Amino acid sequence: MSQLPSIRWGILSTGKIASWYVADLVLSRPDAKVHHVVQAIGTSDVDRGKAFARQYCPNENPAIYGSYQEVYADLAVDIVYIGTPHAFHKKNCLDAIAAGKHVLCEKPFTLNAREAREVFEAARKKKVFIAEAMWLRHRPLVLELQRILHVEKAIGDIFRAMSDFGGYLDIPNLPLDKYYRQNSMGAGSLLDMGIYSLTWVMLSLDPSLTTDRERPKILAAQTHWEDVELTTSAILQYPSTGRQGIVTSTTMTNGNPDLIARIHGIDGSIEVHGSCPSQPEAFTVYPPFGGDSGANVTRGEGKRYDFTTQGRGFQYQADNIALDVVSGRLESSIIPQDETIRVMETMDEIRRQGGTRYPVD
């Protein structure tokens, strides 16, 4: 352990996503690339913070602070992990940056692309690292799938991809003070779940991280309860190739419990399996369908790739981010800032066409 680089985390909030992240940070694992230390926890309730530490990092001894500002001021904290609700991300990032801290901020990075640009500009001026915590992109399964798709080209030229994320929430009957009923907080299916569907499609159709990559045409529709978006459907088309992606998300039903993405190429198809698009567990590469059409279509034997993950899988992201920081990088080697902007701009356009507006827009 002493031979590994070490990084000390300040954790903002004691909510669900933060609990998942911290639990994976402190896993004992033979493949660890970094020694992670939970140095401090910021919360509005110190007692809740102490209970959080006892439950999720019992072998650590973090400082428990009753404000986020105290986390930023702690000289022992190397990087701040922001796991607060969407609408607070911009302020939390800017406050941490002003204090000279490196930052890893949960997805969606901000509520819109304009806010994201403002945060990135502040980080550049302060010369601190900052990245979006889209943990899906760091998973070994996703990295291997991209290799098979775009390097090995196992299914040939890709022409279509689709992904759906559904998670049932009875929005109309939730109390008005709940996060999921508040448009100003970024409530709805798109930012919470649709961002994963969109990520699968983008990784499948356009994996390039170059700044001059092609922008897809977008056709989108959304359904609302009052001012809260319930269901989103979007088609992305890349004009130069004709590739199409279908992105859907909804709070009105749970999604398919096994099939989370399907990718079609001229020489076959790939299906990604898992409990939901944020938790892929395996993918299968199939040859082209046989037969004629309708009832005569046949499927050849596929090759399945299974990935066993210790914990929930946040540790891959934590390792990569930490290695970027200790090497002196100012942005993620997996998700550069331009990529975060590209995703935010796409969601902005989906919302514009679908009729979802936030006060900060």
Side-chain angles (χ1 to χ4, degrees), residues 126-177:
K126 199 70 174 178
K127 294 183 172 57
V128 296
F129 174 95
I130 189 164
E132 179 182 24
M134 172 46 86
W135 60 310
L136 174 64
R137 290 183 181 238
H138 295 266
R139 299 177 75 99
L141 180 151
V142 171
L143 300 178
E144 176 63 8
L145 176 61
Q146 287 185 278
R147 188 193 68 80
I148 286 175
L149 281 173
H150 305 298
V151 178
E152 186 178 308
K153 298 186 181 297
I155 60 172
D157 289 338
I158 299 161
F159 62 87
R160 183 171 68 164
M162 56 199 74
S163 179
D164 173 68
F165 198 150
Y168 178 67
L169 292 168
D170 189 6
I171 301 293
N173 291 311
L174 290 177
L176 292 175
D177 62 346

Side-chain angles (χ1 to χ4, degrees), residues 187-201:
S189 77
L190 178 61
L191 297 193
D192 261 347
M193 297 178 285
I195 189 172
Y196 287 106
S197 306
L198 179 60
T199 296
W200 281 110
V201 165

Side-chain angles (χ1 to χ4, degrees), residues 280-302:
E281 298 165 4
F283 62 85
T284 305
V285 181
Y286 291 104
F289 293 149
D292 299 320
S293 62
N296 294 323
V297 173
T298 60
R299 167 182 275 175
E301 182 178 355

Side-chain angles (χ1 to χ4, degrees), residues 164-169 189 193-194 197 248-256 275-277:
D164 173 68
F165 198 150
Y168 178 67
L169 292 168
S189 77
M193 297 178 285
S197 306
T248 54
S249 61
T250 185
T251 61
M252 297 184 70
T253 185
N254 290 321
N256 189 313
S275 58
C276 63

Side-chain angles (χ1 to χ4, degrees), residues 5 21 31 84 90 117 132 168 188 242 253 266 271 306 316 329-330 338 355:
Y21 189 71
D31 63 341
T84 56
K90 175 187 170 183
R117 292 190 194 94
E132 179 182 24
Y168 178 67
T253 185
I266 60 173
E271 295 182 358
D306 286 288
Y316 307 116
R329 293 178 61 90
L330 297 182
D338 283 344

Side-chain angles (χ1 to χ4, degrees), residues 184-324:
S184 62
M185 297 291 285
S189 77
L190 178 61
L191 297 193
D192 261 347
M193 297 178 285
I195 189 172
Y196 287 106
S197 306
L198 179 60
T199 296
W200 281 110
V201 165
M202 284 182 158
L203 290 173
S204 301
L205 300 182
D206 183 20
S208 171
L209 295 179
T210 60
T211 56
D212 61 348
R213 57 193 173 272
E214 186 176 19
R215 292 178 179 270
K217 295 180 179 179
I218 299 169
L219 179 63
Q222 294 181 308
T223 301
H224 301 80
W225 170 264
E226 297 178 345
D227 60 353
V228 176
E229 172 259 321
L230 302 180
T231 299
T232 289
S233 298
I235 299 173
L236 280 60
Q237 187 206 36
Y238 291 82
S240 67
T241 61
R243 290 178 172 180
Q244 293 188 11
I246 302 170
V247 175
T248 54
S249 61
T250 185
T251 61
M252 297 184 70
T253 185
N254 290 321
N256 189 313
D258 178 63
L259 181 63
I260 59 178
R262 178 178 278 130
I263 307 156
H264 286 140
I266 60 173
D267 295 327
S269 62
I270 292 179
E271 295 182 358
V272 185
H273 318 290
S275 58
C276 63
S278 60
Q279 289 273 273
E281 298 165 4
F283 62 85
T284 305
V285 181
Y286 291 104
F289 293 149
D292 299 320
S293 62
N296 294 323
V297 173
T298 60
R299 167 182 275 175
E301 182 178 355
K303 181 178 179 180
R304 183 179 172 101
Y305 297 76
D306 286 288
F307 289 77
T308 301
T309 301
Q310 187 179 0
R312 291 182 177 271
F314 286 92
Q315 64 269 28
Y316 307 116
Q317 171 184 260
D319 279 359
N320 289 339
I321 294 299
L323 291 174
D324 284 335

